[in-house]
Amino acid sequence: MEKHLIVLDLDGTLLTDDKTISDRTKKTLLKAKQNGHEVMIATGRPYRASEAYYRELSLNTPIVNFNGAFVHHPLNDKWGIHHEPMDLSVVKEIVDACHDFDFYNIVAEILDDVYLHYHDEKLLDIFSFGDPVIRSGDLRTYLPENPTSMLIHAEESQVEKIRKHLSDVHAEVIDHRRWGAPWHVIEIVKTGLNKAVGIQKVSDHYGIPKDRIIAFGDEDNDLEMLEFAGTGVAMENGINSVHQTANYITGSNNEDGIAVFLEDRLKLK
């Protein structure tokens, strides 16, 4: 069988609800690699929060982080480092505007460094994965350079109002998404970036055409890559728009959905 590129979202897809990779899925992915296929991760997480899974699967491929804003090869610097941050002046304007709405906090990440607008012990717990440098202070005055991404944690009733403002004022320079429940979070990156942009860099490197790309996802930040891949596979636990976009629906992240699909599709049993 010709070489395929297998692309894995992490949360809600590769990872079970307890944030682990099931034994069956791990074995199936290792068998796919042994059969000559390439396996890669494409996630909204920063690298520091995905490295452990990259190593657990013994991957040797580039990785897409921050929904395409950062693409690199952890084991080969010569492959290229593709980092496309947001413009700092736009970030300051967004922070200014957020003060017209009810929000809890704003987080900016510069690769693996984390900057909180307000000190927040709960967010510190969430963002401390991978042991990053974490600082707190007014993002308008102490953010040192263009951030890779930005998160706005707001009142549920305010999320769509803030998103409307972002679309009305900054549509040409940023893209934004809403996190899935229970988080009322808006995620912002530079315009034109998504997982598919990063995956294309990797597929071009390996010379693997779209019709031999199999991508798995569950949330709206997976839509572009599911459309880009020749075979887009939605997890059963995925949102409706993912189900509608994908070519196939497999079992949930807690039911070895990735393994079930690949065992059949790539004859890995």
Side-chain angles (χ1 to χ4, degrees):
M1 183 174 290
E2 289 186 289
K3 178 185 288 191
H4 284 66
L5 177 62
I6 300 164
V7 187
L8 311 169
D9 168 54
L10 288 180
D11 298 284
T13 301
L14 174 66
L15 305 182
T16 62
D17 286 351
D18 63 3
K19 304 303 180 186
T20 61
I21 305 172
S22 73
D23 288 340
R24 180 178 176 183
T25 295
K26 190 186 304 184
K27 289 176 182 176
T28 300
L29 291 169
L30 292 175
K31 190 166 186 180
K33 288 169 57 187
Q34 290 167 0
N35 286 14
H37 303 297
E38 301 290 350
V39 178
M40 68 172 289
I41 290 170
T43 178
R45 291 184 180 214
Y47 179 62
R48 69 174 187 279
S50 45
E51 180 181 10
Y53 304 113
Y54 183 95
R55 298 192 182 283
E56 183 177 353
L57 293 176
S58 300
L59 298 184
N60 186 28
T61 47
I63 183 170
V64 175
N65 292 111
F66 292 108
N67 292 319
F70 181 47
V71 186
H72 80 297
H73 195 312
L75 305 179
N76 181 10
D77 288 343
K78 294 181 181 178
W79 185 82
I81 297 175
H82 304 275
H83 181 216
E84 297 192 54
M86 304 164 53
D87 189 273
L88 186 56
S89 63
V90 174
V91 171
K92 291 178 179 179
E93 290 176 10
I94 292 172
V95 175
D96 266 337
C98 281
H99 286 81
D100 293 331
F101 302 92
D102 292 324
F103 73 96
Y104 296 118
N105 214 335
I106 306 171
V107 182
E109 296 185 74
I110 302 173
L111 294 178
D112 285 322
D113 292 341
V114 179
Y115 297 82
L116 305 180
H117 193 58
Y118 300 128
H119 182 80
D120 186 325
E121 290 296 333
K122 291 182 180 178
L123 284 182
L124 284 175
D125 286 341
I126 295 169
F127 285 90
S128 62
F129 193 91
D131 197 27
V133 174
I134 302 179
R135 301 180 179 88
S136 300
D138 192 319
L139 295 177
R140 293 168 291 188
T141 58
Y142 89 114
L143 197 59
E145 58 185 284
N146 297 340
T148 312
S149 78
M150 185 176 177
L151 304 173
I152 302 170
H153 182 206
E155 292 270 4
E156 182 177 9
S157 63
Q158 299 291 297
V159 169
E160 290 309 315
K161 295 177 183 177
I162 296 172
R163 292 192 71 187
K164 182 179 186 304
H165 169 82
L166 294 174
S167 294
D168 289 346
V169 180
H170 300 293
E172 294 183 359
V173 289
I174 62 161
D175 286 338
H176 56 90
R177 304 174 184 279
R178 181 174 185 164
W179 278 15
W183 290 99
H184 307 301
V185 170
I186 303 163
E187 182 174 276
I188 307 170
V189 294
K190 181 180 176 181
T191 189
L193 296 177
N194 55 64
K195 292 182 180 183
V197 172
I199 293 164
Q200 181 157 19
K201 289 180 171 67
V202 180
S203 62
D204 288 348
H205 169 73
Y206 288 114
I208 298 176
K210 287 185 182 181
D211 63 350
R212 283 191 269 124
I213 300 175
I214 305 173
F216 295 87
D218 71 307
E219 277 288 346
D220 75 343
N221 64 335
D222 299 314
L223 291 172
E224 291 90 352
M225 79 169 182
L226 295 178
E227 291 175 347
F228 175 78
T231 304
V233 186
M235 310 304 290
E236 187 178 38
N237 52 288
I239 60 175
N240 287 337
S241 57
V242 166
H243 284 188
Q244 294 165 3
T245 299
N247 305 108
Y248 300 93
I249 299 174
T250 189
S252 78
N253 62 317
N254 293 317
E255 299 170 328
D256 299 308
I258 290 173
V260 169
F261 186 87
L262 292 177
E263 286 166 1
D264 179 65
R265 183 63 176 244
L266 299 180
K267 309 295 187 287
L268 299 176
K269 292 181 181 179

